[in-house]
């Protein structure tokens, strides 16, 4: 029988509820428990797939093709466990399910209402993963938003009911709050936490544990005060002080004993957790002997959450390379226009030892990406293109090497004379935009002897996808004649997955999203390879300068 932990947040948003949930999952897993993390978001989109990265940050894609909130990425990275569509629920999907039932006549004669129909569906979904997988010991469900939000109420009401219906020792509530430091007063303030817990208790949920976000540890006096006013024992109040790296958070919480008291509360007898490997990883990560700079040329760069998994993948890739990867953000539109000549490009990428062009949609900033790729190709700068980055690489090579002056993608210009990138056959005739891309994990066969085969160390791989457009096979032969190697193909050979350019230290582009599978203790081979190549370039440059 599984146990259920609910994580809510109060006072303000962006407290790092996802990291706190993932950290608890990490620690319970280190205790030998089988843990599933899930996120329930109260907004009305059916999934985040159709939301702008500016609004919502990156859309994380799971093995089964679910388009999810980026917190699912943290869950997978912190617990090294693959999740699925059932682990991300939105109010939109709840209503979609209920309204479909209503149209079928399943509620015939009854009024369909938030209570009990919406809350019952939420309760069903809380248990779904555990029911499908009897080995699960603990399900941690994070509720998006902040306590007090109108749209979150049905979710909290469902949790209240669920807790009432289950044995006391089968559920626990963790509430995350903010303990601000007021400069003028020179002290921390516990009142916002008290208010937030009062709000939660007024809904009928007494939190069992509080995790207080604060600049510094909150100290025993504040802990006792918070405990007294929030109606819980002082050793159930934890602080999550600002950390240099998110990967430190599980260790900080473990030091304070969070996992031990959660297990005690849930009646789970487990071994003491072995956090030594994680600790070692964090040590390497925080004390890198080397540094290297890699430029990311994108168009959503004002909101770094839009590239969350890429940022994390570079952190992971730095670990085996013993290097910190400094990310230099370049707005692709700033690389466009007449005045952006070779000199300006050289200025923009001065001190960068590698260039990454990430995924994206629409034509804005495309020329800038093409320019950046040309600069990388011509100057031997290690380059990794992801999804749209691959598509731009072929446009660039098509125009400059193959001689297709007007090479383009049908996504940006339906009448382009040379659509080297075109809509996939399977996408033709699709009218609905939600959840209809080529999504999730697909196998890929890697060409022996290629750079990709060398990096992966194997020739059968599987990677996650999210795209509608692909390399147009009608142009494949011409690219190959120009030296391009299509080093990864779908097993039927029809779909280009990996592209390499010859006589270059590291020029690799992939149609899939390697960043979705990188884990802190298992850096993705392509990111690891890019960072290694960038370090080599850096040391070559240093040798040249010295010699
Ligand atoms: N817009 C491109 C496509 O749909 C690339 C998608 C992406 O980069 N994720 O194929």
């Amino acid at each position: 029988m599984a146990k259920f932990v609910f994580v809510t947040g109060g006072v303000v948003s962006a407290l790092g509820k996802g990291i706190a949930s993932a950290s608890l999952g990490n620690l319970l897993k280190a205790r030998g428990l089988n843990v599933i993390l899930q996120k329930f978001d109260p907004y009305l989109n059916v999934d985040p797939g159709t939301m702008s990265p500016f609004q919502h940050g990156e859309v994380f894609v799971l093995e089964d093709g679910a388009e999810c909130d980026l917190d699912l990425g943290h869950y997978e990275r912190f617990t090294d466990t693959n999740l699925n569509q059932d682990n991300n629920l939105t109010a939109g999907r709840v209503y979609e399910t209920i309204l479909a039932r209503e149209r079928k006549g399943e509620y015939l004669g009854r009024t369909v209402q938030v209570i009990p129909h919406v809350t019952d569906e939420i309760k069903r979904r809380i248990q779904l993963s555990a029911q499908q997988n009897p080995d699960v010991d603990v399900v941690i469900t994070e509720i998006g938003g902040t306590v007090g939000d109108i749209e979150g109420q049905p979710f909290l009401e469902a949790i209240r009911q669920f807790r009432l219906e289950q044995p006391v020792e089968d559920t626990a509530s963790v509430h995350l709050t903010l303990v601000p430091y007021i400069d003028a007063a020179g002290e921390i303030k516990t009142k916002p936490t008290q208010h937030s817990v009062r709000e939660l208790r007024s809904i009928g949920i007494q939190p069992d544990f509080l995790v207080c976000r604060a600049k510094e540890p909150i100290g025993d006096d504040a802990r006792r005060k918070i405990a007294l006013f929030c109606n819980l024992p002082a050793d159930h109040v934890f602080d999550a002080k600002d950390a240099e790296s998110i990967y430190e958070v599980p260790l900080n919480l473990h030091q304070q004993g969070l996992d031990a008291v959660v297990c005690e509360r849930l009646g789970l007898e487990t071994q003491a957790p072995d956090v030594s490997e994680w600790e070692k990883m964090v040590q390497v990560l925080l004390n890198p002997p080397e540094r290297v700079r890699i430029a990311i040329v994108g168009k959503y760069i004002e909101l770094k959450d839009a590239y969350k998994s890429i940022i994390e993948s570079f952190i992971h890739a730095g670990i085996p390379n013993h290097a910190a990867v400094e990310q230099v953000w370049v707005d692709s539109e700033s690389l466009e226009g007449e005045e952006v000549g070779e000199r300006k490009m050289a200025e923009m990428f001065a001190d960068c030892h590698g260039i990454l062009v990430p995924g994206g949609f629409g034509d804005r900033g495309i020329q800038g990406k093409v320019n950046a790729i040309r600069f990388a190709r011509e100057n031997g700068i290690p380059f990794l293109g992801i999804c749209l980055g691959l598509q731009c690489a072929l446009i660039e090579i098509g125009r400059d090497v193959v001689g297709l002056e007007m090479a383009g993608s049908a996504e940006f210009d339906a009448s382009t004379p040379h659509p080297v990138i075109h809509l996939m056959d399977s996408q033709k005739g699709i009218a609905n935009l939600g959840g209809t891309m080529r999504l999730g994990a697909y196998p890929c066969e890697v060409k022996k002897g290629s750079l990709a085969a060398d990096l992966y160390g194997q020739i059968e791989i599987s990677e996650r996808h999210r795209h509608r457009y692909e390399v147009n096979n009608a142009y494949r032969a011409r690219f190959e004649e120009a030296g391009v190697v299509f080093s990864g193909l779908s097993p039927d050979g029809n779909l280009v997955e990996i592209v390499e350019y010859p006589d270059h230290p590291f020029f690799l582009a992939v149609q899939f999203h390697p960043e979705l599978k990188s884990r802190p203790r298992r850096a993705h081979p392509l990111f690891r390879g890019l960072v290694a190549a960038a370090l080599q370039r850096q040391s070559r440059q240093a040798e040249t300068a010295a010699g």
Side-chain angles (χ1 to χ4, degrees):
M1 284 299 288
K3 308 276 181 174
F4 297 87
V5 178
F6 300 100
V7 182
T8 52
V11 185
V12 291
S13 58
L15 284 180
K17 236 184 318 142
I19 301 293
S21 307
S23 297
L24 179 59
N26 170 292
L27 293 172
L28 297 183
K29 193 167 176 216
R31 285 181 169 263
L33 295 166
N34 205 334
V35 185
I36 282 196
L37 280 139
Q38 48 191 19
K39 172 115 190 238
F40 287 5
D41 268 316
Y43 54 72
L44 288 176
N45 301 64
V46 171
D47 63 41
T50 52
M51 288 157 88
S52 158
F54 281 125
Q55 280 257 325
H56 191 264
E58 138 192 295
V59 175
F60 195 80
V61 181
L62 305 179
E63 290 290 292
D64 65 358
E67 294 180 283
C68 292
D69 183 81
L70 56 78
D71 277 330
L72 278 277
H74 290 310
Y75 301 166
E76 288 201 344
R77 290 187 282 265
F78 275 67
T79 60
D80 205 357
T81 303
N82 286 338
L83 299 169
N84 63 45
Q85 177 73 74
D86 294 331
N87 304 126
N88 193 193
L89 181 71
T90 66
R93 198 176 290 281
V94 172
Y95 281 97
E96 186 189 46
T97 308
I98 290 171
L99 294 177
R101 278 185 206 143
E102 190 274 337
R103 290 291 83 183
K104 273 202 223 153
E106 287 182 22
Y107 301 107
L108 221 50
R110 271 173 288 164
T111 311
V112 184
Q113 294 182 298
V114 171
I115 302 170
H117 301 106
V118 169
T119 45
D120 280 355
E121 176 60 13
I122 295 170
K123 285 193 285 181
R124 185 182 75 82
R125 295 291 304 248
I126 289 170
Q127 303 190 79
L128 192 59
S129 284
Q131 277 166 351
Q132 286 167 349
N133 183 355
D135 294 337
V136 173
D137 300 306
V138 183
V139 178
I140 301 174
T141 306
E142 177 193 346
I143 308 297
T146 306
V147 168
D149 294 348
I150 290 177
E151 58 183 13
Q153 283 181 4
F155 287 87
L156 297 177
E157 169 61 11
I159 292 171
R160 183 192 71 77
Q161 293 179 12
F162 188 85
R163 298 192 72 194
L164 189 67
E165 289 157 5
Q166 302 293 322
V168 173
E169 67 281 8
D170 281 4
T171 74
S173 153
V174 178
H175 187 58
L176 210 73
T177 72
L178 177 71
V179 176
Y181 180 84
I182 307 293
D183 276 338
E187 57 181 10
I188 56 169
K189 288 291 174 193
T190 64
K191 197 70 103 210
T193 296
Q194 296 178 40
H195 280 299
S196 176
V197 171
R198 187 177 303 161
E199 180 91 36
L200 197 55
R201 293 176 67 201
S202 75
I203 302 166
I205 300 174
Q206 164 66 47
D208 300 298
F209 305 99
L210 289 182
V211 176
C212 304
R213 277 304 302 276
K215 267 213 173 75
E216 296 294 334
I218 56 173
D220 283 341
D221 284 349
R223 192 186 309 276
R224 273 194 294 271
K225 184 172 169 189
I226 290 171
L228 183 66
F229 288 120
C230 297
N231 197 35
L232 37 72
D235 65 352
H236 284 201
V237 180
F238 299 85
D239 52 58
K241 65 175 167 60
D242 291 350
E244 212 176 306
S245 158
I246 54 172
Y247 299 109
E248 280 178 272
V249 177
L251 300 172
N252 292 348
L253 291 171
H254 172 62
Q255 248 171 16
Q256 299 173 64
L258 175 71
D259 46 306
V261 282
V262 169
C263 286
E264 193 186 317
R265 167 71 182 71
L266 294 172
L268 290 166
E269 280 181 29
T270 68
Q271 66 207 40
D274 181 4
V275 294
S276 58
E277 286 297 313
W278 193 270
E279 225 156 21
K280 240 188 270 165
M281 181 269 292
V282 171
Q283 275 314 316
V284 177
L285 185 151
L286 293 179
N287 305 291
E290 305 213 50
R291 298 192 81 76
V292 69
R293 286 160 62 93
I294 294 186
I296 302 173
V297 182
K299 70 168 178 180
Y300 311 115
I301 62 168
E302 292 100 281
L303 183 70
K304 300 289 183 296
D305 271 0
Y307 299 112
K308 194 81 220 168
S309 294
I310 287 179
I311 296 173
E312 295 307 317
S313 298
F314 275 128
I315 294 173
H316 307 162
I319 298 170
N321 280 300
H322 303 282
V325 180
E326 199 182 313
Q327 295 155 21
V328 181
W329 297 90
V330 178
D331 179 358
S332 49
E333 283 181 289
S334 73
L335 301 177
E336 294 180 345
E338 290 294 310
E339 70 285 2
V340 183
E342 192 73 7
R343 235 193 49 218
K344 174 92 189 290
M345 292 288 267
E347 265 169 36
M348 297 289 280
F349 292 116
D351 302 331
C352 289
H353 309 105
I355 295 179
L356 179 134
V357 176
F361 294 83
D363 64 350
R364 195 165 59 78
I366 290 301
Q367 187 57 47
K369 291 183 178 180
V370 168
N371 292 347
I373 295 168
R374 177 162 309 162
F375 190 76
R377 188 174 57 75
E378 290 180 340
N379 293 286
I381 301 172
F383 163 75
L384 177 61
I386 294 178
C387 206
L388 184 66
L390 172 143
Q391 300 176 356
C392 289
L394 284 190
I395 292 173
E396 192 279 313
I397 297 168
R399 288 180 190 169
D400 211 45
V401 184
V402 182
L404 306 165
E405 215 178 298
M406 303 288 280
S409 163
E411 179 181 2
F412 323 133
D413 177 7
S415 62
T416 177
H418 291 298
V420 295
I421 305 297
H422 70 167
L423 195 64
M424 302 174 69
D425 271 343
S426 55
Q427 290 287 325
K428 290 182 182 148
I430 288 179
N432 283 351
L433 291 185
T436 55
M437 281 187 249
R438 178 171 180 251
L439 291 165
Y442 285 92
C444 165
E445 283 175 11
V446 182
K447 194 173 181 157
K448 283 199 183 111
S450 64
L451 171 62
D454 184 36
L455 294 169
Y456 277 104
Q458 61 192 70
I459 53 164
E460 286 190 7
I461 59 163
S462 166
E463 293 282 3
R464 300 184 191 174
H465 299 69
R466 183 169 187 253
H467 64 121
R468 286 186 208 284
Y469 292 82
E470 62 165 343
V471 176
N472 184 346
N473 289 338
Y475 289 93
R476 247 155 81 170
R478 293 170 75 174
F479 277 99
E480 281 171 331
E481 280 158 27
V484 168
V485 179
F486 294 111
S487 61
L489 299 175
S490 57
D492 65 4
N494 259 328
L495 223 139
V496 171
E497 297 276 24
I498 311 179
V499 174
E500 295 177 22
Y501 192 76
D503 305 325
H504 189 286
F506 190 105
F507 189 102
L508 196 75
V510 293
Q511 187 56 73
F512 46 80
H513 290 269
E515 72 275 22
L516 301 173
K517 285 181 68 172
S518 182
R519 306 269 162 94
R521 283 182 293 161
R522 259 181 317 116
H524 193 285
L526 301 188
F527 278 88
R528 207 175 57 213
L530 175 67
V531 173
L535 281 163
Q536 273 168 17
R537 180 177 174 84
Q538 186 179 36
S539 56
R540 266 198 315 272
Q541 281 177 339
E543 276 166 29
T544 319

